[in-house]
Amino acid sequence: MFVGIALLAIAIFQLAIATMAWKQRLPGNRFIGLRVPEVRKSADIWNTAHRVAAPLWLLSGVAFGFAGLSAWNATGWGWALPVVLFIIALAAYGAGAAQGAHTAAAVDARRIQEEANGGPAAAVDLQALRRAAQQSEKPDNS
């Protein structure tokens, strides 16, 4: 019964954190959330990385909740389901964190590249490229 209560408490905490991350309401701090250097560089990267991690963190919270409910009266082989759900919850949490950290690194690398190149890359006018390609394919009637 104690294990069930502990897992349900973890589930509530995890769901609250995931919801705040998804809504971009998770304040920047040292204790909760992703702790990689790229995430701390700006509020925009913090919010983007946590928003990417949030769906898997929600899945983790739901899995913790079901693990807690199934552990409430588990005996014997009945512990197999809570253990499997617990492993799924940990895997989802880790995958979300990895995905968020990867996103933060990618966004940071892109910003560094844009700063080195003097700003964001210019947009390409695809219609102009198509017209130029069509003009070059037309036979010259001179």
Side-chain angles (χ1 to χ4, degrees):
M1 186 160 154
F2 173 74
V3 173
I5 293 171
L7 288 172
L8 287 173
I10 292 170
I12 291 169
F13 181 73
Q14 182 64 28
L15 289 170
I17 296 300
T19 302
M20 288 171 46
W22 199 322
K23 292 182 176 184
Q24 298 181 356
R25 302 264 191 262
L26 188 63
N29 61 73
R30 296 183 310 192
F31 306 108
I32 298 172
L34 298 172
R35 290 181 278 195
V36 292
E38 293 86 358
V39 171
R40 298 179 183 273
K41 288 187 176 180
S42 75
D44 183 43
I45 294 176
W46 173 271
N47 288 331
T48 302
H50 284 87
R51 187 172 176 107
V52 167
L56 286 169
W57 286 356
L58 278 173
L59 174 65
S60 173
V62 169
F64 274 126
F66 282 127
L69 290 174
S70 62
W72 197 264
N73 290 324
T75 59
W77 281 101
W79 282 102
L81 181 60
V83 168
V84 168
L85 289 170
F86 181 78
I87 292 169
I88 290 170
L90 289 180
Y93 183 78
Q99 195 172 14
H102 178 74
T103 299
V107 169
D108 186 46
R110 183 177 207 159
R111 284 191 179 173
I112 290 171
Q113 183 180 15
E114 286 177 357
E115 288 174 6
N117 293 337
V124 176
D125 185 0
L126 293 178
Q127 292 299 330
L129 287 174
R130 287 186 185 114
R131 285 192 301 272
Q134 289 172 350
Q135 289 297 325
S136 69
E137 291 174 356
K138 289 183 181 177
D140 205 14
N141 291 335
S142 27

